[in-house]
Amino acid sequence: QQQVKQSPQSLIVQKGGISIINCAYENTAFDYFPWYQQFPGKGPALLIAIRPDVSEKKEGRFTISFNKSAKQFSLHIMDSQPGDSATYFCAASRSLRTGTASKLTFGTGTRLQVTL
Amino acid sequence: NAGVMQNPRHLVRRRGQEARLRCSPMKGHSHVYWYRQLPEEGLKFMVYLQKENIIDESGMPKERFSAEFPKEGPSILRIQQVVRGDSAAYFCASSPASGGRETQYFGPGTRLLVL
C-alpha cells in the first residue's frame, strides 16, 4: 500500500532530447507528489511537485504529468543538458490531520545520463 | 538563509560503538524527518519529529536506534552498538510549521561507515 514504483532504473538521453521518468503509486491517500534531484555525494534537492487536483505542472524545462485515475505521474525534462545528469527520485506523501505532511515514500530512483 | 545542516558529514565507527548524527533544520522550520539511503537505493523513512515530540517512528528499527528533537538545539539520531549493516547515508529533512508544510528540504547527509 505504501509503495511507489519508479522506472526506468537508468536512462541515457542525448543533449537536447526529452527525458521521461515514470512513477506509479498504490495508496490513494497520497496527495502530494514531489520530484527530487540528487547529485553524487549530495542530498536530494526538490525539483518540482504536484498535487492531484491538477493534471500537469510546468517549471522551466521540467514538467510533471499526473494521471489520478491511473495512479501514475511522470517527470519530463525538455532540452536535456549534461548538467541534468543525476539521479531522480519520485516521492509521495499524504497530509495529516494536523495539516502537516507525513513521511515521504520514495521511488527507487532513475540514474539519468545526458550525453553530448 | 542557511539550509538544513548536518554534521558530521562523514563518520567512521567500529562495530559496537555509538554513532550520533546531528541535524539543524532550516530557520523557521520545526518539523524534522530522518531518512536512510543504502548504496544504489532510494531513501527510506525512519522517523518524524517536532520539537520535543516524536510524531511517527514507524520506519525506525526498534532496537539500537533512537531520535530526539529537543526544545533547544539540533535533532539527534543515535545508533547504539553499530553493525556493518548500519553503513549508509543518513539524511535529515525539515519542513515549516505552516505554509508549504508538505515541502521537505534535505540536508547534505551524514555518511556512516562501520568497520
Side-chain angles (χ1 to χ4, degrees):
Chain A
Q1 270 285 313
Q2 295 294 319
Q3 256 190 326
V4 175
K5 296 180 180 178
Q6 182 172 348
S7 63
Q9 191 173 16
S10 61
L11 182 60
I12 300 175
V13 174
Q14 279 197 324
K15 180 182 175 182
I18 303 173
S19 303
I20 302 174
I21 304 170
N22 301 297
C23 283
Y25 63 97
E26 298 173 358
N27 188 348
T28 54
F30 287 146
D31 58 4
Y32 176 69
F33 302 88
W35 284 89
Y36 284 86
Q37 178 189 57
Q38 186 179 30
F39 292 104
K42 305 292 185 183
L46 180 67
L47 257 184
I48 186 172
I50 198 168
R51 300 192 73 92
D53 52 346
V54 296
S55 60
E56 186 175 282
K57 183 175 181 180
K58 184 177 181 180
E59 289 183 3
R61 295 186 295 110
F62 301 94
T63 300
I64 298 179
S65 297
F66 187 84
N67 186 330
K68 188 175 180 179
S69 60
K71 294 189 285 185
Q72 295 175 346
F73 58 110
S74 59
L75 175 69
H76 295 233
I77 306 174
M78 312 299 287
D79 187 26
S80 298
Q81 298 297 312
D84 296 331
S85 297
T87 300
Y88 293 80
F89 293 97
C90 62
S93 70
R94 63 179 180 86
S95 300
L96 300 175
R97 265 176 281 164
T98 53
T100 55
S102 68
K103 60 193 177 187
L104 285 168
T105 299
F106 281 87
T108 50
T110 296
R111 185 172 291 181
L112 171 65
Q113 183 181 353
V114 181
T115 61
L116 293 171
Chain B
N1 185 15
V4 178
M5 298 175 68
Q6 290 187 248
N7 66 80
R9 295 291 306 276
H10 299 273
L11 183 61
V12 180
R13 285 289 179 264
R14 296 192 180 277
R15 281 179 295 169
Q17 291 184 319
E18 178 180 284
R20 192 170 297 198
L21 289 60
R22 296 176 185 78
C23 168
S24 295
M26 286 179 69
K27 186 177 180 180
H29 288 191
S30 58
H31 299 253
V32 165
Y33 307 78
W34 285 93
Y35 294 84
R36 177 164 61 178
Q37 185 176 35
L38 295 170
E40 307 300 321
E41 291 189 15
L43 289 85
K44 303 289 186 187
F45 168 78
M46 298 183 74
V47 62
Y48 164 29
L49 309 103
Q50 295 178 20
K51 287 282 187 181
E52 299 184 283
N53 280 310
I54 296 176
I55 306 302
D56 181 357
E57 56 182 345
S58 59
M60 199 151 69
K62 294 288 186 288
E63 297 178 355
R64 302 190 297 108
F65 286 74
S66 63
E68 63 177 9
F69 190 14
K71 188 176 180 181
E72 301 290 338
S75 174
I76 307 285
L77 178 68
R78 186 180 290 110
I79 311 172
Q80 296 178 305
Q81 299 173 352
V82 295
V83 300
R84 288 205 175 124
D86 296 333
S87 295
Y90 291 83
F91 291 97
C92 165
S94 72
S95 67
S98 62
R101 295 170 184 171
E102 65 273 359
T103 302
Q104 295 182 25
Y105 299 90
F106 282 79
T110 294
R111 280 145 186 87
L112 172 65
L113 176 63
V114 179
L115 301 177

